[in-house]
Amino acid sequence: MIYLDNAATSFPKPEGVIRAVTYAQRYAANPGRAGHELSLSAEKIVYYTREKLALMFNSSVENVVFTKNCTESLNIAIKGTVSQGDHVVVSSMEHNSVLRPVEYLSSKGKITYDVARVYPDNDEKTLSEFQKAIKKETSLVVCSHASNVFGSVLPIEKIGRLCKEKGIVFVVDAAQSAGMIEIDIEKMNIDILCLPGHKGLLGPMGTGVMIIKNAEKTETLIHGGTGSMSLNLKQPEFLPDKFESGTLNLPGIAGVSAGIDFLLTKRNSLEAERALINLLKEDLKNIKGITVYDNMHGKIFSPVLSFNLLNFHSEEVAEKLSQSGIAVRAGYHCSRLAHKTYETDKNGTVRVSVGLFNQKKDIKNLVFCLNKIAMNNNM
Amino acid sequence: MIYIKFASVTLAEKAKNLLLSRSIKSYIKKNPNPNHKEGCNYALFVYGDISTAFRIIEKNSVSNLGIESFGEKP
């Protein structure tokens, strides 16, 4: 099978990740709870994973919070930060992991929100849309770093600067960029960075991370046992315990750690992945009836490409590719607004997302199959 | 026994690694004498001069609950 759905989860996982998960299942107990050797050695796995993530994103080790996925991180960041009457700004490229919590809060009368339109080929215009959307009551801006459908990268450093000037909490959804595109939370003025452990970081599914600069501004959504201050009925206010009630997914965290180690051995991997997407773009030009949604104009992008073929619904094309052993994702990718922005909300798109293990021959095979589908339909 | 007390194991690990970067070895245990208001927390036992270790931890702003002693005198 040719796997081209890495934006959903990276696959296959490096052998080191599988070994780390197995090791943790066999030899580790509950971290941060007891004083015995199995618990303390499990804590070391957790600590060193935090340390790697802190180094990667320029943060402090205690600011790294483990969650079950990026969506959970975003829910904490959004619901935990806003107060009654606040105004929130999101971008027009957001995934439902951002839009649904915001829409929910709005439907309950807690907040109001506006959508800042993104112009993928013009960062200044995008920034100006954010400036226009921000009001006196705006307390939070939430923005994807890279679109999960079109690969476009948003100017988060500029948006972060704008938020800092206005004293607004800035949350970044790095679901499609963490581990691929450099992120420095200090330089980019990010208050809360949300990311999955199983995409660009190559870890197992069911792992997420929230890196939070200031615990005081955000409430936790989950309360419970943390292994600390146990006789106090109040949730600890210090990081990471404030947001980490209940047993951590230790095997998953061990896998993330191994995923990061593997990633660090692969220099220029993003360039290789982008080269495959560029090759695909070129080859798709030769297929009659293909519409490629690409307006990057040489700008930086995450290794994702969306297209449609003739007047097929995107799901139909994906199904035909699946029958030929090629895994892509079609439809609306949980991103209604992004599809509206690109006017693809009728048929969705076929999304190809390449990963570390893809090769040129995978792209050539995909193009061959698409050619076959197009020719059969033209006959 | 004398040790430096931390509210969480993450902070204790951070302090341990900080000290190690200054060639001071230490190890973590659960606090053998938690007070009855707080409950569970962690103790960092230092090989060598605990005052020096404590100063390093304080200087590097690793949040801690101070030096504590319990049981027999060090």
Side-chain angles (χ1 to χ4, degrees):
Chain A
M1 197 248 276
I2 295 170
Y3 186 78
L4 295 167
D5 193 18
N6 289 276
T9 193
S10 58
F11 183 87
K13 303 298 178 190
E15 275 305 312
V17 170
I18 293 158
R19 277 199 301 273
V21 172
T22 308
Y23 177 88
Q25 297 276 23
R26 282 195 180 140
Y27 304 111
N30 201 333
R33 295 296 189 268
H36 57 73
E37 203 43 53
L38 277 183
S39 175
L40 290 172
S41 62
E43 176 53 34
K44 277 185 192 156
I45 296 173
V46 176
Y47 183 82
Y48 289 125
T49 313
R50 282 192 218 280
E51 196 171 60
K52 287 173 194 175
L53 289 159
L55 274 172
M56 189 175 238
F57 300 107
N58 192 17
S59 183
S60 295
V61 74
E62 63 268 35
N63 295 8
V64 176
V65 172
F66 290 110
T67 61
K68 71 170 187 282
N69 49 45
C70 190
T71 297
E72 185 175 78
S73 302
L74 284 161
N75 268 265
I76 299 167
I78 296 167
K79 292 176 183 166
T81 304
V82 294
S83 303
Q84 183 67 40
D86 280 355
H87 177 253
V88 176
V89 175
V90 300
S91 88
S92 68
M93 301 305 281
E94 295 312 307
H95 188 272
N96 281 346
S97 54
V98 168
L99 278 172
R100 282 186 172 161
V102 167
E103 177 59 32
Y104 168 78
L105 292 168
S106 168
S107 73
K108 295 286 174 192
K110 188 164 186 181
I111 62 154
T112 54
Y113 74 97
D114 279 300
V115 176
R117 190 186 159 95
V118 172
Y119 294 88
D121 55 342
N122 190 334
D123 286 351
E124 289 309 317
K125 230 170 148 181
T126 299
L127 186 67
S128 153
E129 289 294 315
F130 274 88
Q131 275 164 332
K132 275 194 261 172
I134 289 172
K135 298 177 181 177
K136 198 169 76 238
E137 316 82 82
T138 306
S139 65
L140 182 72
V141 168
V142 193
C143 186
S144 280
H145 190 192
S147 163
N148 66 313
V149 190
F150 301 102
S152 37
V153 173
L154 277 73
I156 57 164
E157 192 169 342
K158 289 177 179 170
I159 299 166
R161 204 175 304 135
L162 175 69
C163 291
K164 192 185 178 190
E165 281 166 15
K166 295 189 178 289
I168 296 168
V169 175
F170 184 39
V171 175
V172 171
D173 172 5
Q176 299 299 330
S177 59
M180 287 182 276
I181 302 171
E182 199 186 335
I183 302 172
D184 181 324
I185 66 165
E186 290 301 325
K187 195 173 146 202
M188 294 170 162
N189 292 305
I190 298 169
D191 292 296
I192 309 177
L193 181 71
C194 301
L195 53 123
H198 65 104
K199 293 183 180 179
L201 298 182
L202 309 173
M205 286 180 272
T207 53
V209 178
M210 176 176 79
I211 303 180
I212 180 164
K213 252 193 225 170
N214 187 350
E216 285 167 23
K217 290 182 180 172
T218 305
E219 288 299 319
T220 184
L221 303 186
I222 313 242
H223 302 82
T226 56
S228 54
M229 317 296 279
S230 312
L231 295 179
N232 192 336
L233 287 184
K234 287 192 175 153
Q235 185 77 5
E237 281 297 317
F238 52 83
L239 288 169
D241 298 36
K242 180 175 182 177
F243 298 102
E244 284 184 352
S245 292
T247 298
L248 291 174
N249 175 6
L250 183 81
I253 291 167
V256 171
S257 181
I260 295 171
D261 290 344
F262 183 83
L263 197 60
L264 294 176
T265 66
K266 302 280 167 194
R267 282 170 189 267
N268 302 323
S269 58
L270 180 61
E271 286 317 307
E273 290 166 30
R274 283 186 184 141
L276 292 179
I277 291 292
N278 283 330
L279 172 70
L280 176 62
K281 277 184 207 170
E282 280 307 304
D283 285 0
L284 289 181
K285 282 180 189 165
N286 302 323
I287 301 177
K288 213 174 146 190
I290 285 264
T291 308
V292 176
Y293 302 98
D294 167 37
N295 54 4
M296 295 298 107
H297 303 293
K299 273 185 66 199
I300 185 170
F301 60 93
S302 72
V304 165
L305 188 72
S306 262
F307 63 87
N308 272 316
L309 178 58
L310 301 163
N311 52 1
F312 284 120
H313 192 281
S314 58
E315 294 285 11
E316 227 179 317
V317 178
E319 178 52 31
K320 286 176 195 291
L321 289 172
S322 176
Q323 284 166 11
S324 303
I326 297 176
V328 294
R329 180 167 170 194
Y332 306 97
H333 312 95
C334 300
S335 297
R336 176 175 177 253
L337 264 189
H339 279 288
K340 270 182 111 62
T341 303
Y342 274 76
E343 297 172 352
T344 51
D345 43 335
K346 189 177 165 233
N347 281 338
T349 58
V350 181
R351 180 188 73 184
V352 172
S353 49
V354 301
L356 265 177
F357 297 103
N358 286 121
Q359 296 173 3
K360 217 169 159 179
K361 64 176 187 202
D362 299 334
I363 300 299
K364 292 289 175 191
N365 269 318
L366 168 68
V367 173
F368 175 79
C369 288
L370 286 170
N371 246 321
K372 219 163 81 176
I373 297 167
M375 280 194 303
N376 286 344
N377 192 66
N378 288 333
M379 273 197 290
Chain B
M1 58 180 90
I2 185 161
Y3 48 85
I4 305 167
K5 198 166 89 168
F6 293 88
S8 83
V9 69
T10 307
L11 293 168
E13 279 285 356
K14 188 176 184 180
K16 182 178 153 228
N17 283 281
L18 171 68
L19 294 179
L20 194 59
S21 73
R22 310 291 165 87
S23 303
I24 299 172
K25 287 186 181 171
S26 59
Y27 64 94
I28 299 167
K29 286 276 176 199
K30 278 201 86 176
N31 186 352
N33 185 32
N35 78 37
H36 297 300
K37 280 184 188 164
E38 296 162 349
C40 306
N41 48 47
Y42 285 82
L44 186 69
F45 293 87
V46 179
Y47 293 106
D49 180 20
I50 196 161
S51 304
T52 307
F54 184 67
R55 271 199 302 277
I56 294 169
I57 289 166
E58 285 278 289
K59 202 177 163 192
N60 285 275
S61 308
V62 181
S63 179
N64 67 82
L65 301 172
I67 297 178
E68 197 171 83
S69 59
F70 172 66
E72 79 276 16
K73 296 265 183 216

